[in-house]
Amino acid sequence: EEGLTIFSAQEIVIGGSHPNAGNTFHHGWMFYLAVWDLSNLVVQGNRIGPPLSPDSTPNWGFSGSYIDTVDGALIGGRLPGAANQFLDQWHDISYSSDVRIEGNRFGTDAEGTERIGDFERLTIVGVKGLEIGCSLPGCANVFGAGYNGTSLEISDCIEARIYGNRFDVDTSGTKPLTGSEDSWHSPGVSINGGQFIEFGGPFDGQ
């Protein structure tokens, strides 16, 4: 049983950047959110896998979210309210093209100042045309500490740019996330294989 499943569709918007436009996905046996075989996907303003109260039971499903074979996706965005919160479990994006991931919170509160939830990692495999973050205001993704030392894992991607993000620091990039000192988890990035990968930048060709 999934929280939300969508497949073989076009022009899909899940949530939005306007106040109260986002969805909350608290439970799914396999995934909170599973989408595949789509074109032009927008996912904004959602809370995926949050505890509903300090005493609520976390989801022990297979994964937090699953996005596969999507042609054109915007996950988050620079507008106020566009950021998604990805909390429990790990989150997968695979075998897609032209994917932008901007302004989200992975394992942190909505403000990007405190580590919360049981986030494990964001895994991206086989994506062509990937952009994570950018240099514009509001574009930084904030990653809380992940399981086993990896917050972001990228494999076999082509033309990927990862820059302007925050790993275990707040949105300003100057202060550690609160709550991280109490966890044995640690932030980290793993890049395996792929072509034309840019980490940091943007690269000016010089």
Side-chain angles (χ1 to χ4, degrees), residues 87-108:
L87 295 173
D88 291 337
Q89 306 296 326
W90 57 90
H91 303 269
D92 303 316
I93 301 174
S94 56
Y95 306 109
S96 299
S97 61
D98 298 324
V99 175
R100 291 162 50 206
I101 303 171
E102 298 177 348
N104 299 288
R105 308 292 183 252
F106 294 91
T108 78

Side-chain angles (χ1 to χ4, degrees), residues 152-203:
L152 174 62
E153 184 176 277
I154 299 173
S155 301
D156 300 323
C157 291
I158 300 174
E159 299 175 2
R161 305 174 70 192
I162 306 100
Y163 61 106
N165 300 289
R166 307 290 185 253
F167 293 91
D168 214 35
V169 295
D170 67 5
T171 51
S172 71
T174 61
K175 298 179 182 178
L177 295 175
T178 60
S180 293
E181 65 274 10
D182 299 324
S183 173
W184 60 270
H185 294 193
S186 60
V189 179
S190 174
I191 300 176
N192 305 302
Q195 300 179 35
F196 310 112
I197 308 295
E198 179 182 329
F199 190 85
F203 181 57

Side-chain angles (χ1 to χ4, degrees), residues 24-27 47 49-58 87-88:
T24 297
F25 299 93
H26 172 63
H27 183 75
R47 301 176 71 233
L52 299 183
S53 71
D55 299 325
S56 64
T57 303
L87 295 173
D88 291 337

Side-chain angles (χ1 to χ4, degrees), residues 115-131:
R115 182 185 182 276
I116 61 174
D118 192 25
F119 170 71
E120 296 195 9
R121 71 175 65 88
L122 172 62
T123 300
I124 303 176
V125 179
V127 171
K128 182 176 181 180
L130 171 67
E131 189 164 20

Side-chain angles (χ1 to χ4, degrees), residues 12-137:
I12 299 297
V13 178
I14 302 173
S17 60
H18 293 288
N20 301 316
N23 303 283
T24 297
F25 299 93
H26 172 63
H27 183 75
W29 173 244
M30 289 291 287
F31 304 100
Y32 297 111
L33 171 66
V35 298
W36 67 93
D37 191 21
L38 304 181
S39 61
N40 300 323
L41 170 69
V42 176
V43 182
Q44 291 184 331
N46 301 287
R47 301 176 71 233
I48 302 174
L52 299 183
S53 71
D55 299 325
S56 64
T57 303
N59 174 56
W60 298 113
F62 178 72
S63 184
S65 60
Y66 174 77
I67 297 173
D68 183 79
T69 55
V70 171
D71 181 14
L74 172 60
I75 313 298
R78 299 189 296 271
L79 295 175
N84 301 286
Q85 271 185 284
F86 296 89
L87 295 173
D88 291 337
Q89 306 296 326
W90 57 90
H91 303 269
D92 303 316
I93 301 174
S94 56
Y95 306 109
S96 299
S97 61
D98 298 324
V99 175
R100 291 162 50 206
I101 303 171
E102 298 177 348
N104 299 288
R105 308 292 183 252
F106 294 91
T108 78
D109 62 357
E111 291 74 27
T113 60
E114 180 182 4
R115 182 185 182 276
I116 61 174
D118 192 25
F119 170 71
E120 296 195 9
R121 71 175 65 88
L122 172 62
T123 300
I124 303 176
V125 179
V127 171
K128 182 176 181 180
L130 171 67
E131 189 164 20
I132 303 175
C134 75
S135 59
L136 298 176

